[in-house]
């Protein structure tokens, strides 16, 4: 992460769609303390969430009120001397349990995990459930969080042909102590669910998010030659992102002969706007010839804060009208069939000139189908075959391109997938073969223009395992073997067969294994640990710069006991 931002890569595609309780959430960072769980949906999910990334989507599920009195306090050190306290409280508000609440409060502050880094953040998040009638449920949620970090790690950038040294000592600050990130975020949402009768259910929701990135001073380290780098220090300030998301669906259950149907029809969409002053960026002159052997302290340059008012720089709308049928035939066969009309409206303005006309705009829609056939030969085993299409907005040309900040046209991707899921005792084992086609986007070194040409093909095999292998040993893990390449690169045949690069690279192999082992000799003691492998990948479109694979590990333990008759857990990671 950098300044609280985390990048996620699914099946070789970065920046997946992000939702909270099924509502799109276009935010820079995400607090986790008020979330019950994180759901990762692999592959195209346009039928569920509208125009999105073909790799998959991430849905964060908020904690809801508990039916009983609940109080939990967590204190600790999050690493490097960063004190942390989290209170999680919930329960009913009346004797009948018709009204309930959940409250999460977080405070963290202190030194970070690297030299010169300090972190200060806070969160207050509340949820309220009201059973207005036995069939009508109103759910409300609201939160406010703030985040301030000093000593943010820099981004390392390598010009074509520049050698990649071994990764530098990650405990040191390769940026500067005065780099910082400072933002706040306010959210509010409401969901209404009405069980009209045994056959009909109506559900609707809306969420509003306002995120304000007040001040970000960052460093980029540009490697030009062996053993040295140039540091660029810049400030971004006073950027505001607003998102309004909503959905409304009607679910209907009925039978037609031997078939059981659950029809869902409705709408979901979101509107996101970005506001920023024309002079939000200030960059200091580069500091060249710094040694890769050791970080260099640089006096803080004069980087003024923007004093101009914000102007709208981007307006983005996603909308989806959808109808789907979950149909079952007996206990062995079922199918998911659906069709959506997905629309994207994207408007951009040259925010460096508030009087300038729109620099890019499009309004496109497409009918996209989705179909899955599921067969259960025995109750413990499910097999499936899926085909789906999806629409997503085109990429934005980087600031180094000849067509900097141009928004490319929308993309239509398609996916084929076959798989099997089996429950073996208390273990879930899955295997899937997938093939995803997406139009290729890249910065062409021939003319330095960011463009679309050909197809980006990602295909591979995924194997996953989760559950209790023995009464004392629990495993979560998997491996992905992926073959990705560019095909049909009209106008640039040199790209044919090359591996796409994406954000963060497209690795050829991924493997992860996390384990928990309960020690019988010490009741309450559980040992934890994981190992995670990312295979090699390329950093340039022509595949001349290949980066090796790498491994990360973690290890820990937790001990559950009672202190003064209060359930208590000690954790070490």
């Amino acid at each position: 992460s950098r300044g609280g931002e985390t990048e996620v890569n699914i099946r070789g595609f970065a920046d997946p769609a992000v939702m909270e309780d099924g509502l799109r959430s276009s935010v820079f960072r995400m607090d986790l303390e008020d979330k019950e769980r994180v759901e990762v949906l692999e592959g195209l999910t346009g039928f569920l969430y509208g125009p999105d990334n073909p790799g998959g989507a991430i849905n964060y599920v908020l904690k809801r009120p508990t039916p009983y009195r609940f109080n939990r306090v967590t204190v600790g050190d999050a690493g490097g001397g960063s004190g942390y306290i989290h209170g999680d409280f919930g329960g009913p508000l009346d004797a009948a349990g018709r009204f309930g609440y959940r409250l999460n409060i977080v405070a963290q502050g202190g030194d970070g995990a690297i030299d010169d880094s300090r972190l200060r953040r806070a969160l207050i998040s509340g949820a309220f459930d009201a059973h207005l009638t036995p069939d009508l449920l109103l759910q409300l949620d609201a939160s406010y969080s703030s985040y301030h970090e000093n000593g943010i790690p820099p981004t390392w950038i390598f010009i074509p042909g520049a050698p990649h040294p071994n990764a530098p000592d990650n405990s040191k600050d390769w940026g500067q102590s005065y780099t910082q990130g400072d933002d706040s975020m306010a959210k509010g949402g409401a969901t209404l669910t009405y069980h009209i009768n045994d056959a009909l259910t109506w559900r609707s929701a809306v969420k509003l998010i306002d995120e304000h990135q007040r001040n970000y001073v960052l460093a980029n380290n540009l490697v030009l030659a062996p053993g040295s780098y140039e540091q660029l220090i810049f400030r971004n300030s006073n950027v505001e992102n607003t998102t309004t998301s909503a959905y409304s669906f009607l679910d209907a259950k009925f039978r037609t002969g031997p078939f059981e149907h659950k029809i869902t029809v409705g709408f979901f969409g979101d509107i996101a706007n970005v506001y920023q002053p024309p002079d939000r960026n200030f960059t200091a002159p580069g500091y060249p010839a710094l040694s890769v052997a050791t970080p260099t302290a640089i006096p803080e340059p004069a980087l003024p804060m923007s004093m101009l008012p914000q102007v709208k720089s981007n307006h983005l709308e996603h909308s989806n009208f959808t109808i789907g049928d979950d149909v079952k035939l007996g206990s062995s066969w079922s199918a998911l069939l659906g069709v959506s009309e997905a629309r994207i409206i994207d408007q951009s303005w040259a925010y460096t000139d508030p009087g300038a006309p729109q620099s890019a705009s499009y309004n496109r829609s497409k009918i996209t189908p989705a179909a899955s056939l599921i067969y259960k030969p025995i109750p413990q085993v499910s097999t499936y075959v899926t085909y789906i299409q999806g629409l997503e907005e085109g990429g934005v040309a980087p600031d180094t391109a000849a067509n900097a900040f141009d928004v490319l046209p929308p993309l239509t991707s398609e996916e084929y997938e076959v798989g099997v899921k089996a429950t073996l005792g208390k273990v879930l084992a899955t295997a899937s073969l997938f093939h995803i086609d997406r139009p290729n986007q890249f910065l062409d070194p021939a003319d330095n223009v960011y463009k679309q040409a050909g197809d980006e093909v990602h295909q591979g095999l995924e194997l996953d395992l989760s559950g209790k292998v023995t009464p004392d040993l629990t495993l979560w893990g998997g491996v992905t073997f992926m073959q990705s390449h560019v095909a049909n690169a009209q106008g640039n045949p040199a790209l044919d067969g090359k591996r796409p690069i994406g954000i963060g690279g497209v690795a050829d192999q991924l493997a992860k294994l996390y384990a928990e082992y309960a020690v019988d000799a010490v009741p309450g003691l559980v040992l934890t640990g994981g190992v995670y492998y990312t295979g090699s990948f390329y950093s340039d479109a022509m595949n001349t710069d290949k980066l090796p694979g790498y491994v990360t590990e973690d290890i820990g333990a937790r001990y559950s006991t009672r202190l003064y008759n209060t359930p208590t857990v000690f954790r070490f990671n």
Side-chain angles (χ1 to χ4, degrees):
S1 68
R2 167 166 155 154
E5 181 180 24
T6 301
E7 292 179 352
V8 178
N9 191 299
I10 303 176
R11 291 183 171 178
F13 296 99
D15 293 335
V18 175
M19 272 73 59
E20 288 188 53
D21 289 336
L23 292 163
R24 194 180 294 263
S25 179
S26 301
V27 297
F28 181 66
R29 59 181 177 83
M30 184 70 70
D31 297 293
L32 293 180
E33 288 86 357
D34 60 347
K35 308 302 188 297
E36 184 67 37
R37 65 185 184 273
V38 180
E39 300 173 339
V40 178
L41 294 86
E42 294 182 310
L44 283 162
T45 58
F47 178 69
L48 295 172
Y49 297 118
D52 65 355
N53 182 295
I58 299 175
N59 184 37
Y60 295 86
V61 180
L62 285 169
K63 293 176 178 177
R64 300 310 309 177
T66 52
Y68 49 84
R69 186 68 60 199
F70 177 83
N71 299 290
R72 181 169 61 194
V73 176
T74 303
V75 295
D77 186 310
S82 182
Y84 175 89
I85 183 168
H86 170 210
D88 187 356
F89 315 103
L93 291 171
D94 64 320
R98 292 178 56 198
F99 304 97
Y101 75 97
R102 191 72 175 266
L103 180 64
N104 280 267
I105 303 174
V106 177
Q108 182 178 351
D111 293 333
I114 66 174
D115 295 344
D116 301 327
S117 65
R118 291 188 62 81
L119 177 64
R120 184 178 70 252
R121 71 183 189 96
L123 166 71
I124 180 167
S125 175
F128 173 74
D129 286 1
H131 294 269
L132 303 179
T133 73
D135 297 316
L136 184 61
L137 172 63
L138 174 65
Q139 297 177 301
L140 303 175
D141 61 84
S143 67
Y144 177 83
S145 64
S146 62
Y147 182 98
H148 182 88
E149 181 182 7
N150 283 96
I152 295 178
T155 292
W156 291 85
I157 302 170
F158 297 82
I159 67 167
H164 289 262
N166 291 332
D169 184 349
N170 201 38
S171 67
K172 298 180 180 179
D173 181 9
W174 292 87
Q176 302 296 330
S177 61
Y178 47 80
T179 56
Q180 62 178 287
D182 185 7
D183 68 15
S184 62
M185 184 159 43
K187 302 179 184 180
T191 301
L192 192 64
T193 304
Y194 180 33
H195 296 287
I196 302 171
N197 53 42
D198 291 340
L200 296 175
T201 299
W202 174 63
R203 49 195 173 92
S204 296
V206 63
K207 182 177 286 290
L208 290 81
I209 303 175
D210 185 279
E211 183 176 18
H212 194 179
Q213 300 173 25
R214 291 182 175 83
N215 181 28
Y216 272 78
V217 179
L218 301 170
N220 286 340
N221 291 345
L222 180 63
V223 178
L224 306 171
S228 68
Y229 66 96
E230 177 181 2
Q231 188 165 95
L232 303 176
I233 301 173
F234 58 97
R235 181 195 300 275
N236 296 335
S237 60
N238 202 23
V239 180
E240 186 174 9
N241 300 276
T242 65
T243 305
T244 302
S245 303
Y247 67 71
S248 185
F249 290 106
L250 181 66
D251 302 323
K253 298 178 182 179
F254 59 92
R255 296 184 67 96
T256 57
F259 297 99
E260 297 180 30
H261 299 269
K262 180 182 178 182
I263 297 285
T264 296
V265 59
F267 162 86
F268 53 95
D270 63 276
I271 299 174
N273 290 305
V274 179
Y275 304 88
Q276 49 195 334
D279 61 342
R280 75 178 181 96
N281 289 314
F282 294 95
T283 304
Y287 300 92
L290 305 181
S291 174
V292 171
T294 182
T296 301
I298 295 171
E300 184 172 0
L303 294 171
M305 288 280 287
S306 172
M307 301 303 292
L308 296 179
Q310 295 172 331
V311 296
K312 183 186 290 188
S313 63
N314 183 255
H315 174 88
L316 178 62
E317 292 185 33
H318 300 110
S319 62
N320 229 59
F321 292 93
T322 186
I323 181 170
D325 187 6
D326 180 358
V327 56
K328 291 181 171 60
L329 176 61
S331 59
S332 297
W333 290 94
S334 62
L336 295 171
L337 307 171
V339 64
S340 296
E341 183 190 30
R343 179 174 295 275
I344 299 175
I345 300 174
D346 196 336
Q347 299 170 315
S348 298
W349 292 266
Y351 57 80
T352 53
D353 180 3
Q358 285 187 359
S359 59
S361 175
Y362 57 72
N363 184 337
R364 304 282 182 88
S365 66
K366 184 175 177 61
I367 303 294
T368 57
S372 292
L373 180 64
I374 302 101
Y375 173 61
K376 297 173 69 71
I378 58 176
Q380 296 82 11
V381 176
S382 295
T383 63
Y384 67 91
V385 57
T386 294
Y387 173 77
I388 188 171
Q389 289 185 358
L391 186 69
E392 66 173 311
E393 60 263 25
V396 180
D399 55 4
T400 57
N403 58 335
F405 305 114
D406 279 0
V407 180
L408 302 189
L411 313 173
T412 300
S413 303
E414 62 178 3
E415 178 185 13
Y416 305 84
E417 183 170 339
V418 296
V420 58
K421 300 180 179 181
T423 301
L424 310 172
K426 295 184 178 180
V427 175
L428 175 64
T430 67
S432 60
L433 286 166
F434 63 89
H435 178 103
I436 303 174
D437 279 332
R438 178 202 206 187
N440 186 42
Q441 303 182 123
F442 67 102
L443 183 62
D444 193 337
D447 53 12
N448 196 37
V449 172
Y450 189 68
K451 61 181 63 171
Q452 297 171 346
D455 298 311
E456 182 178 340
V457 180
H458 293 221
Q459 54 193 12
L461 169 67
E462 289 182 337
L463 304 171
D464 294 290
L465 183 76
S466 62
K468 283 187 173 294
V469 179
T470 72
D472 296 328
L473 179 62
T474 305
L475 298 178
W476 294 267
V479 60
T480 300
F481 302 97
M482 189 161 59
Q483 194 277 330
S484 58
H485 64 278
V486 175
N488 307 316
Q490 303 95 340
N492 199 332
L495 286 173
D496 278 338
K498 298 293 191 296
R499 196 189 304 176
I501 56 174
I503 298 175
V506 180
D508 52 359
Q509 297 175 8
L510 297 167
K512 302 181 179 183
L513 181 64
Y514 174 81
E516 293 193 350
Y517 179 71
V519 181
D520 284 338
V522 184
L525 177 62
V526 177
L527 305 180
T528 66
V531 58
Y532 317 94
Y533 169 72
T534 298
S536 62
F537 54 92
Y538 290 97
S539 67
D540 65 313
M542 301 308 295
N543 289 185
T544 60
D545 193 6
K546 188 175 184 179
L547 301 182
Y550 60 91
V551 176
T552 61
E553 307 93 8
D554 61 62
I555 190 169
R558 68 174 181 269
Y559 178 61
S560 302
T561 184
R562 299 183 75 88
L563 292 181
Y564 303 103
N565 205 34
T566 300
T568 304
V569 181
F570 295 91
R571 292 184 178 89
F572 170 79
N573 295 287

